[in-house]
Amino acid sequence: MTEYQIHTLPNGIRIAHRQVPYTQVVHCGLMLDMGSRDEKPNQLGLAHFWEHMAFKGTKKRKSYHIINRLESVGGELNAYTTKEKICFYASVLDAHFEKSVELLADITFDSVFPENQIEKERGVILEEMSMYQDSPEDALQDDFDEIVFANHQLGANILGTQESVKGFTRKELQDFIAENIDTEKIVMSIVGNITFNKAIKVAEKYLKDIPAKKSDLKRTPPSEYKPQRITIPKKITQAHCAIGRPSYAMLDERRLPFFMLVNLFGGPGMNSRLNMTLREKYGLVYGIDATYSPFTDTGFLGIYFATDKSNLDKANALILKEMQLLKEKPLGKLQLHTVKEQLMGQLAMAEESNQSFMLMMAKSILDIGKVESLEGIFTEIKNIEATQLQEITNDMFDESQLSYLTFLPEQ
């Protein structure tokens, strides 16, 4: 398997490529370094609205033709919006690689946003909002962002508000794109059994004539953080709780050790500290997760769980107890070795997914200008020391700096 390669077009768009043998499927995507945090107060939800509207018509295609273009050959076309990124991507048999690149370029740069489709999609997104509000797990996470990043765009819901979505106009959509798009902050990522020369030739054919564009976009870091404790009554059967705080930014040297610490504490493994205590030992929860999300200039730590209302205080106390144990006692040599091995295994398996690697490659190039090799990451992991983890634990698990959001069942 080759390492990745990068080619930069005269307009600044970068083509990132990795050739993978023994597959007939090619994954490719256009990722833009702009997201919901780049919206102005009167634009809440516009990034996500663009993601939806890109599929609704271009200068040469109607909505049906966009949907059918790859579906008819067994391919998939999709998109997503995050706080800092918008991505349009596709997976197809390699025989249809050029077809997918052409379509991605078309919906990204030549969408026309028909007025009648705007009205329809308004309703679709309002239904999406209702769906999330009907799910306490999803609503909790969205509302908790607003608490941790109060009065900042990172705390705003990616979907926007009902009022903002109801009021969007075609011109506002066009203005948002014109203000924020920057061709030097766009990456086309390609992973499959396609040579680098072919990837460049096809990508150049559909992207080289895109006009070079610079954006004046400057991201403002969140202001001073103030911990909060908020409880909201809801018509639900369980208590749902979020605990967390701001954390380390993308380029902070503590990012990887903290990621490893969060993985040990409440990561996806069934052997996480929180799962072993709250589920396996005491039977208080069905599931509990701790996540760490780094951004350009800050980061986010979140712990999420649901339990019977009568068990809420005990569950919170056990979480704080596990934090305290990590603060007081450094990991032993065998424990540290096991944590490292688990994380390295998880990262290696994640890279086995060509689609996941394609998306990660684009994001990594936009965020840090390169893709770190597994070997390089493994070396960093192996060099992490127990004392380093303990220092981070005492910093990030400071009880006085934690915010809480709890949805409580109504009486």
Side-chain angles (χ1 to χ4, degrees), residues 124 133 344 389 401:
V124 170
Q133 284 301 316
M344 288 189 290
L389 290 178
Q401 292 300 304

Side-chain angles (χ1 to χ4, degrees), residues 393-408:
T393 304
N394 279 281
D395 181 26
M396 280 291 111
F397 289 170
D398 180 349
E399 187 178 345
S400 69
Q401 292 300 304
L402 296 175
S403 286
Y404 290 75
L405 173 62
T406 306
F407 291 169
L408 270 187

Side-chain angles (χ1 to χ4, degrees), residues 94-330:
D94 51 20
H96 305 293
F97 166 60
E98 183 169 347
K99 192 178 288 188
S100 66
V101 173
E102 186 275 333
L103 182 63
L104 288 170
D106 193 32
I107 65 173
T108 305
F109 299 106
D110 280 327
S111 289
V112 293
F113 314 121
E115 293 284 1
N116 64 328
Q117 292 286 357
I118 287 177
E119 294 308 314
K120 286 181 186 176
E121 212 56 31
R122 224 190 282 282
V124 170
I125 293 174
L126 291 172
E127 289 298 325
E128 186 178 0
M129 285 181 177
S130 298
M131 181 181 71
Y132 279 108
Q133 284 301 316
D134 282 347
S135 167
E137 296 91 344
D138 294 323
L140 181 77
Q141 294 185 35
D142 287 336
D143 292 356
F144 192 54
D145 286 352
E146 194 172 343
I147 290 172
V148 174
F149 299 116
N151 303 312
H152 189 273
Q153 285 305 107
L154 280 172
N157 192 320
I158 290 172
L159 301 182
T161 66
Q162 288 210 357
E163 293 72 24
S164 65
V165 171
K166 287 176 181 176
F168 286 150
T169 66
R170 183 170 182 262
K171 185 177 186 307
E172 286 175 322
L173 193 54
Q174 292 170 324
D175 287 347
F176 173 74
I177 296 168
E179 288 167 7
N180 292 293
I181 204 162
D182 186 329
T183 47
E184 291 185 1
K185 295 180 179 180
I186 298 174
V187 170
M188 164 148 272
S189 183
I190 301 163
V191 174
N193 197 8
I194 298 287
T195 66
F196 184 52
N197 286 340
K198 181 174 181 179
I200 297 306
K201 183 179 179 181
V202 171
E204 278 189 328
K205 182 176 178 181
Y206 298 105
L207 297 175
K208 66 180 175 61
D209 293 329
I210 303 298
K213 174 80 168 56
K214 284 288 290 181
S215 169
D216 296 327
L217 172 68
K218 286 184 175 58
R219 288 173 173 160
T220 305
S223 55
E224 186 178 351
Y225 164 70
K226 293 180 181 178
Q228 299 184 67
R229 287 176 177 255
I230 296 176
T231 300
I232 301 173
K234 294 261 185 179
K235 292 181 179 178
I236 50 180
T237 56
Q238 284 182 300
H240 290 257
C241 187
I243 306 171
R245 56 167 297 173
S247 61
Y248 306 124
M250 184 70 63
L251 295 178
D252 195 300
E253 63 183 11
R254 296 165 292 184
R255 177 179 64 91
L256 186 58
F258 186 49
F259 185 76
M260 189 169 87
L261 176 66
V262 172
N263 199 56
L264 160 71
F265 186 63
M270 293 292 286
N271 64 340
S272 75
R273 293 282 184 95
L274 292 182
N275 190 71
M276 292 301 293
T277 300
L278 275 81
R279 174 174 166 147
E280 298 301 323
K281 186 174 181 179
Y282 291 99
L284 299 180
V285 300
Y286 174 72
I288 182 166
D289 301 295
T291 61
Y292 162 49
S293 304
F295 299 113
T296 305
D297 45 19
T298 186
F300 174 81
L301 166 67
I303 300 161
Y304 304 97
F305 67 94
T307 189
D308 188 84
K309 182 179 177 181
S310 63
N311 293 326
L312 180 60
D313 289 343
K314 184 176 182 180
N316 279 326
L318 287 169
I319 292 169
L320 293 177
K321 183 180 178 182
E322 289 298 327
M323 288 182 176
Q324 192 63 32
L325 288 172
L326 282 169
K327 286 194 285 186
E328 293 174 352
K329 186 178 180 182

